[in-house]
């Protein structure tokens, strides 16, 4: 069991203890808590007690302080302490959420008010707030207002290594950490019983692209035990949803979990609202899917000036390419080598799920495609000395080979050797897309050397360089290495910290890797530009499984059109003129900063460059502190 899962289990256990303590609270004659507190038969979501929406908890070390601040019950004194402290879910009195979907990123602002209903008047406790987020969630800011005898408020602040001389003190001030890879939690110090705590949290998350649709999922499912006790307490929830695709094509709505009312509609922009007085809080996440309609490949370039306080004064641009949703383009023939970590740390559920995902990926290959498998720990084990066609018979043999060879064993993790073998197997490719699909949960000592060796292999290889797709499992693999390898190899990187998600995430990554419709994409650098920097520096292939969205900085004058060209599956050249226009209704600093930081951080890791850190001070942020 990983350290993160232990922390999550302790959190869930503390909430269970808190719900038991809640039974001490007397709500007055005729009032009673929600049935969930009085029954052992909770739903599966409630039984694990991890939050499925933004929630607040009273942190209780001394059970004797648990009581109704308005109607004291004068119960017998309770001796002892709760170790670790119990977490009592606070009653929620209002909730709203505003979501802005810009290109492939969603920006969420969740607001709510909770009452410290479980701590007697005159006593105080810390409160803990948990923020579940969607895919690749990143906290952007927190605001807290407390209504008590002396009103107080808190705001978060990004802290850098250069700004802080006492990082330990800063880290403790907000006591923030990730409970799981998708749940961030922080502490509000010493709140008086009976107070109302108003919280506003902002975060960003990735919009997954599946079946030509952008799919938004925001945690918005509340357990019954946060419903305030009392028949006359109003409960109103609100969702505001704004969509701006950035493209000049029409948007089509595919599904929605809540009854959203359309407020406005333009070619690339939509706006919706849902607001209702409810008997109980929402019990389903906000799910929303939409399609950027086009029958064929299309793209564009958006320009914007930097913000006033931007450390980089160069102009910004965003280049996007979409595969189209009619899938009329032929995909490239595939030659793929799966490089699978079978070291001791992969034992149990991880290796079983990797095996299942690998078999599912093999089943999607066509008979004219070819494949091979390399299992590695300290040594490498090849399925075949050469590439084999993906016929029914060879896939059956591979299935049998996996059953006997994909078994975790003792030994270290040697990534260099199997990567070199994979490159050699794919060295003679000419009319297909060669793929290296690396799956690992470990780290090694020669990681920077691996990147440099792979870079050398790609530049000295055949007419078509292998694409490298990497998949990291757990906390302990070097995700910088995997991201860097994917950038070098014009591929994509993904990861999961939960073994249960391995199959879903691996199959999605393989779908992106194996459905390329436009390869070797380049753009003509306009003559009027004094300088141009693109993130990433090499444009990835365009796949039916994912649009390509790149960003950059430039000096000079951008032309009205930008010419890009690439290679189609029939080996012909495809040329497209992208319209260049100013983006006045989007915030580039919000959309592009995260992807640029991820890319630059990997380069700073690889080069160990202090100069790069000095050039981009945003790379050094570490923590969120209260001010």
């Amino acid at each position: 069991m990983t350290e993160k899962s232990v922390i999550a289990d302790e959190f869930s256990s503390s909430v269970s203890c808190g719900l038991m303590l809640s039974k001490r609270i007397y709500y007055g004659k005729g009032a009673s808590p929600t049935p969930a507190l009085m029954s052992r038969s909770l739903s599966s979501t409630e039984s694990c007690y991890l939050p499925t929406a933004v929630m607040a908890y009273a942190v209780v070390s001394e059970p004797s302080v648990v009581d109704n601040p308005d109607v004291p019950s004068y119960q017998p004194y309770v001796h002892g302490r709760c170790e670790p402290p119990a977490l009592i879910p606070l009653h929620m009195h209002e909730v709203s959420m505003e979501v802005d979907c810009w290109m492939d990123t969603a920006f969420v602002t969740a607001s709510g008010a909770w009452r410290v209903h479980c701590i007697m008047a005159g006593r105080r406790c810390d409160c803990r707030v948990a923020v579940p987020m969607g895919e690749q969630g990143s906290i952007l800011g927190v605001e807290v207002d407390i209504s008590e005898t002396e009103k107080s408020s808190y705001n978060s602040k990004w802290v850098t290594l250069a700004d802080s001389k006492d990082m330990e003190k800063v880290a403790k001030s907000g006591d923030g950490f990730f409970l799981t890879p998708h749940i961030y939690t922080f502490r509000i110090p010493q709140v008086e019983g009976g107070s109302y705590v108003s919280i506003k949290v902002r975060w960003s998350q990735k919009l997954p692209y599946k079946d030509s649709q952008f799919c938004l999922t925001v945690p918005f499912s509340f357990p019954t035990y946060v419903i305030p006790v009392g028949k006359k307490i109003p409960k109103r929830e609100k969702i505001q949803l704004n969509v701006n695709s950035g493209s000049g094509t029409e948007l089509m709505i595919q599904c929605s979990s809540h009854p959203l009312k359309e407020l406005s509609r333009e070619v690339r922009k939509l706006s919706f609202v849902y607001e209702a007085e409810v008997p109980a809080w929402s019990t389903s996440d906000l799910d929303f899917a939409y399609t950027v309609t086009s029958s064929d490949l299309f793209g564009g370039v958006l320009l914007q000036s930097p913000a006033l306080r931007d450390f980089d004064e160069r102009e910004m641009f965003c280049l996007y390419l979409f595969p189209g949703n009619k899938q009329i383009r032929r995909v490239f023939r595939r030659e793929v080598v799966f490089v699978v970590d079978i070291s001791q740390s992969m034992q149990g559920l991880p290796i079983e799920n990797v095996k299942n995902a690998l078999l599912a990926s093999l089943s999607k290959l066509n008979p004219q495609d070819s494949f091979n498998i390399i299992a590695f720990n300290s040594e490498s084990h090849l399925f075949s000395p050469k590439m084999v066609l993906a016929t029914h018979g060879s896939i059956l043999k591979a299935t049998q080979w996996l059953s006997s060879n994909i078994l975790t064993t003792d030994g270290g993790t040697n990534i260099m050797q199997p990567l070199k073998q994979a490159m050699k197997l794919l060295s003679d490719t000419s009319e297909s897309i060669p793929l290296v699909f690396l799956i690992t949960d470990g780290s090694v000592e020669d990681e920077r050397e691996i990147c440099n060796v792979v870079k050398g292999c790609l530049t000295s290889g055949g007419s078509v360089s292998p694409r490298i797709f990497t998949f990291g499992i757990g906390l302990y693999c070097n995700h910088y290495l995997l991201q860097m390898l994917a950038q070098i190899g014009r591929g994509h990187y993904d990861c999961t910290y939960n073994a249960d998600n391995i199959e879903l995430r691996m199959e999605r990554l393989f779908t992106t890797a194996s459905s390329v419709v436009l390869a070797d994409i380049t753009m003509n650098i306009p003559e009027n530009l004094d300088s141009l920097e693109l993130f990433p520096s090499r444009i990835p292939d365009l796949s039916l499984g994912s649009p390509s969205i790149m960003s950059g900085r430039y000096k000079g004058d951008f032309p009205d059109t930008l010419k890009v060209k690439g290679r189609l599956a029939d080996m012909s050249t495809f040329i497209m003129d992208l319209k260049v226009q100013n983006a006045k209704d989007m915030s580039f600093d919000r959309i592009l900063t995260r992807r640029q930081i991820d890319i630059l951080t990997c380069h700073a890791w690889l080069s160990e460059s202090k100069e790069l850190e000095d050039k981009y001070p945003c790379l050094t942020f570490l923590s969120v502190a209260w001010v």
Side-chain angles (χ1 to χ4, degrees):
M1 184 178 290
T2 66
E3 180 183 355
K4 287 289 183 182
S5 61
V6 170
I7 295 174
D9 287 346
E10 288 181 353
F11 185 94
S12 184
S13 178
S14 294
V15 175
S16 177
C17 180
L19 290 174
M20 293 295 293
L21 282 176
S22 296
K23 295 180 180 180
R24 289 173 49 88
I25 303 172
Y26 174 67
Y27 292 96
K29 187 176 181 181
S32 61
T34 60
L37 294 182
M38 308 302 294
S39 172
R40 293 180 178 271
S41 58
L42 299 176
S43 69
S44 59
T45 301
E46 292 178 351
S47 62
C48 74
Y49 298 124
L50 288 179
T52 52
V54 178
M55 287 183 58
Y57 306 83
V59 182
V60 179
S61 297
E62 300 179 17
S64 59
V65 304
V66 176
D67 204 348
N68 189 329
D70 302 320
V71 188
S73 60
Y74 303 106
Q75 295 189 35
Y77 184 83
V78 178
H79 295 275
R81 291 176 59 85
C82 296
E83 293 293 346
L87 295 174
I88 300 179
L90 299 184
H91 288 167
M92 188 170 72
H93 286 254
E94 61 182 64
V95 64
S96 64
M97 184 165 63
E98 183 172 356
V99 184
D100 292 309
C101 296
W102 287 342
M103 305 192 79
D104 64 346
T105 306
F107 296 91
V108 184
T109 301
S111 303
W114 289 262
R115 187 169 190 241
V116 186
H117 70 288
C118 53
I119 303 298
M120 62 177 58
R123 301 296 297 269
R124 293 178 176 269
C125 72
D126 290 346
C127 290
R128 181 156 292 281
V129 180
V131 185
M133 297 175 286
E135 191 167 313
Q136 297 183 30
S138 180
I139 288 287
L140 301 177
V142 177
E143 299 175 18
V144 177
D145 287 302
I146 303 172
S147 173
E148 54 182 11
T149 307
E150 296 180 2
K151 188 173 182 179
S152 56
S153 63
Y154 300 91
N155 288 282
S156 59
K157 177 185 178 182
W158 290 108
V159 178
T160 68
L161 281 172
D163 294 336
S164 175
K165 296 180 180 180
D166 190 351
M167 289 308 301
E168 184 177 355
K169 182 178 180 180
V170 168
K172 289 182 178 179
S173 65
D175 195 19
F177 60 90
F178 276 92
L179 180 65
T180 73
H182 300 290
I183 302 176
Y184 184 77
T185 178
F186 60 90
R187 176 178 60 89
I188 304 172
Q190 295 300 292
V191 182
E192 186 176 344
S195 300
Y196 285 88
V197 182
S198 297
I199 302 168
K200 178 183 288 187
V201 186
R202 295 179 289 109
W203 72 85
S204 66
Q205 61 182 62
K206 183 78 171 178
L207 284 175
Y209 189 79
K210 182 180 180 182
D211 298 330
S212 302
Q213 299 177 16
F214 282 110
C215 304
L216 169 71
T217 298
V218 183
F220 200 63
S221 180
F222 298 94
T224 56
Y225 46 74
V226 303
I227 299 174
V229 177
K231 296 180 179 180
K232 296 182 179 180
I233 298 177
K235 293 178 285 295
R236 193 166 191 84
E237 58 188 20
K238 179 180 179 180
I239 298 174
Q240 173 86 37
L241 175 61
N242 307 305
V243 180
N244 188 337
S245 68
S247 68
T249 59
E250 186 180 358
L251 301 179
M252 292 187 63
I253 308 307
Q254 301 299 325
C255 69
S256 176
S257 59
H258 291 70
L260 298 172
K261 177 183 177 182
E262 187 175 301
L263 294 179
S264 64
R265 175 183 288 266
E266 298 179 29
V267 173
R268 68 181 190 185
K269 296 168 62 176
L270 297 171
S271 183
F272 304 88
V273 70
Y274 155 73
E275 189 170 10
E277 191 86 31
V278 292
W281 299 119
S282 171
T283 56
S284 63
D285 293 340
L286 172 61
D287 288 319
F288 186 82
Y290 61 94
T291 301
V292 180
T293 59
S294 177
S295 60
D296 201 358
L297 308 181
F298 73 96
V301 179
L302 302 174
L303 307 179
Q304 194 170 97
S305 296
L308 291 176
R309 297 183 180 180
D310 196 331
F311 67 91
D312 192 338
E313 296 181 352
R314 294 177 295 171
E315 299 292 304
M316 299 182 290
F317 74 93
C318 175
L319 186 154
Y320 62 87
L321 298 171
F322 278 76
N325 47 30
K326 296 298 183 182
Q327 301 190 5
I328 60 175
R329 293 285 179 185
R330 189 177 124 206
V331 301
F332 280 78
R333 186 170 64 85
R334 295 156 290 193
E335 296 188 46
V336 54
V337 179
F338 296 94
V339 182
V340 185
D341 186 348
I342 59 168
S343 59
Q344 181 65 30
S345 57
M346 288 282 288
Q347 68 178 334
L349 192 58
I351 197 64
E352 278 301 313
N353 288 342
V354 166
K355 175 184 170 183
N356 293 337
L358 203 158
L359 291 175
S361 298
L362 288 176
S363 68
K364 295 178 182 178
L365 295 176
N366 298 320
Q368 66 268 28
D369 298 330
S370 61
F371 74 95
N372 209 331
I373 306 169
I374 304 175
F376 72 93
N377 43 34
S378 298
E379 301 176 348
S380 296
H381 312 272
L382 275 73
F383 165 64
S384 171
K386 60 181 182 179
M387 302 295 289
V388 296
L389 291 175
T391 62
H392 177 73
S394 60
I395 291 177
L396 182 60
K397 289 181 181 179
T399 302
Q400 296 169 347
W401 183 86
L402 286 170
S403 297
S404 58
N405 287 275
I406 300 291
L407 300 172
T408 55
T409 59
D410 294 332
T413 305
N414 183 352
I415 295 178
M416 179 82 81
Q417 182 184 358
L419 277 180
K420 285 182 177 180
Q421 291 172 319
M423 297 290 183
K424 186 175 181 180
L425 286 167
L426 298 170
S427 60
D428 295 329
T429 301
S430 60
E431 295 186 358
S432 64
I433 291 293
L435 306 172
V436 176
F437 206 95
L438 172 64
I439 305 109
T440 182
D441 74 338
S443 59
V444 291
E445 295 181 356
D446 57 346
E447 290 164 329
R448 290 180 177 84
E449 184 183 353
I450 290 172
C451 290
N452 293 325
V453 167
V454 169
K455 190 182 298 184
C457 290
L458 293 178
T459 55
S460 62
S463 58
V464 181
S465 298
R467 275 38 173 178
I468 300 177
F469 288 75
T470 57
F471 188 81
I473 300 172
L475 294 169
Y476 301 110
C477 63
N478 188 335
H479 294 276
Y480 292 142
L481 166 67
L482 299 183
Q483 291 179 67
M484 199 68 240
L485 286 174
Q487 288 182 40
I488 292 171
R490 275 192 170 181
H492 293 270
Y493 149 84
D494 199 2
C495 68
T496 182
Y497 300 95
N498 185 346
D500 293 332
N501 292 335
I502 289 175
E503 290 185 56
L504 175 65
R505 301 294 284 266
M506 270 188 62
E507 289 182 34
R508 189 175 72 184
L509 184 61
F510 184 74
T511 297
T512 299
S514 60
S515 59
V516 172
V517 293
L518 188 65
D520 298 329
I521 304 171
T522 59
M523 68 178 185
N524 290 347
I525 306 299
E527 295 179 355
N528 293 334
L529 292 185
D530 300 323
S531 67
L532 184 143
E533 187 175 16
L534 182 65
F535 305 104
S537 58
R538 304 179 72 192
I539 301 176
D541 297 332
L542 182 60
S543 164
L544 293 176
S546 175
S548 291
I549 299 176
M550 292 136 286
S551 63
R553 297 274 185 164
Y554 71 95
K555 285 185 177 181
D557 296 322
F558 233 104
D560 294 334
T561 60
L562 180 70
K563 192 178 297 294
V564 299
K565 64 179 181 179
R567 186 164 53 87
L568 297 172
D570 61 4
M571 308 309 292
S572 64
T573 299
F574 179 85
I575 299 176
M576 181 166 46
D577 288 325
L578 305 183
K579 184 179 179 181
V580 178
Q581 54 186 326
N582 289 311
K584 299 179 180 179
D585 54 356
M586 304 178 74
S587 179
F588 273 20
D589 56 339
R590 295 176 68 188
I591 303 171
L592 306 178
T593 298
R594 169 65 186 267
R595 71 180 77 238
Q596 292 182 5
I597 287 176
D598 288 344
I599 292 170
L600 290 167
T601 301
C602 292
H603 282 277
W605 165 81
L606 178 62
S607 63
E608 300 180 279
S609 171
K610 184 67 170 63
E611 180 182 351
L612 190 58
E613 291 185 6
D614 292 339
K615 183 179 179 182
Y616 297 100
C618 59
L619 300 183
T620 59
F621 70 79
L622 286 180
S623 182
V624 178
W626 292 128
V627 292

